[in-house]
Amino acid sequence: MRSLLFWLLLMTPTMTVALPLARPVAMPIGPGPDRMAAGVARMVGSILEFTRWPTDRPVVRMCMAGAVAHGDQLGEISLTNGARIATVALAADEAAPAARCDALYLGSLDALVRQRLIAAVRGNAVVTIAENDRDCAGGAMFCLLFAPQTLSFQLNIDAVSRSAVRVDPRVLRVAKGGY
């Protein structure tokens, strides 16, 4: 179902600076007591569906750093290739997160700590997703954008290009400001 939703989102035109297309894609957050966490799990799962690591991952180790507001359901994600997500708490002073993490989910952190964690995984096969970086200026590959009834994301193409993971280029089409 997640995969179908993401494919539908891929077919929706997005806003670009140079081309006069429509608007960026925003995913409805859905029903339930923790609607935002459910939306985040769907969005992150969709991002991970279109991410390829240098070797297959039967379990994607998602490290969570900082005060995570909407990550309660991330451990419930399972990908269409059969991989599941295992969440791991990461201390802000972790010395070598790249050895423990396939994905790094960043909650609220001091800007210097966030930059240090991102720098520690740069160039490695680690997807970085920021929950609390509205301008996507902190160096994460993906930045979640929250609105009252929707969720979207911004992609940092520079961070993606420096990573050892490969993100399907169609993801650009659904990102805020994508091409």
Side-chain angles (χ1 to χ4, degrees):
M1 179 66 176
R2 257 191 322 267
S3 182
L4 174 63
L5 178 61
F6 202 68
W7 276 107
L8 290 173
L9 291 173
L10 283 174
M11 297 302 132
T12 305
T14 60
M15 179 188 306
T16 66
V17 175
L19 300 174
L21 297 175
R23 56 189 158 64
V25 172
M27 178 186 292
I29 57 172
D34 194 353
R35 301 168 359 156
M36 204 56 85
V40 166
R42 284 194 325 270
M43 179 71 72
V44 170
S46 296
I47 289 169
L48 296 178
E49 285 287 347
F50 290 89
T51 300
R52 298 294 172 256
W53 285 266
T55 59
D56 287 339
R57 302 286 196 267
V59 175
V60 176
R61 300 166 300 166
M62 180 171 297
C63 296
M64 301 174 74
V68 175
H70 304 296
D72 296 345
Q73 296 181 22
L74 292 174
E76 299 172 20
I77 298 170
S78 62
L79 304 178
T80 57
N81 67 359
R84 61 182 182 80
I85 307 299
T87 58
V88 178
L90 186 70
D93 61 350
E94 178 83 27
R100 292 184 49 194
C101 310
D102 300 311
L104 178 59
Y105 188 90
L106 302 160
S108 292
L109 288 164
D110 177 75
L112 292 175
V113 173
R114 180 177 54 228
Q115 289 173 347
R116 188 188 55 70
L117 286 170
I118 291 170
V121 300
R122 188 172 292 126
N124 292 289
V126 178
V127 175
T128 53
I129 302 169
E131 183 180 79
N132 193 18
D133 186 3
R134 181 122 187 106
D135 297 326
C136 210
M141 296 166 66
F142 298 93
C143 300
L144 301 179
L145 304 173
F146 298 93
Q149 297 299 319
T150 61
L151 175 64
S152 60
F153 68 93
Q154 188 166 352
L155 180 120
N156 180 334
I157 192 68
D158 183 56
V160 171
S161 68
R162 293 174 189 266
S163 174
V165 297
R166 294 294 156 239
V167 177
D168 190 307
R170 292 172 290 183
V171 173
L172 289 172
R173 294 191 64 213
V174 296
K176 179 182 179 217
Y179 297 96

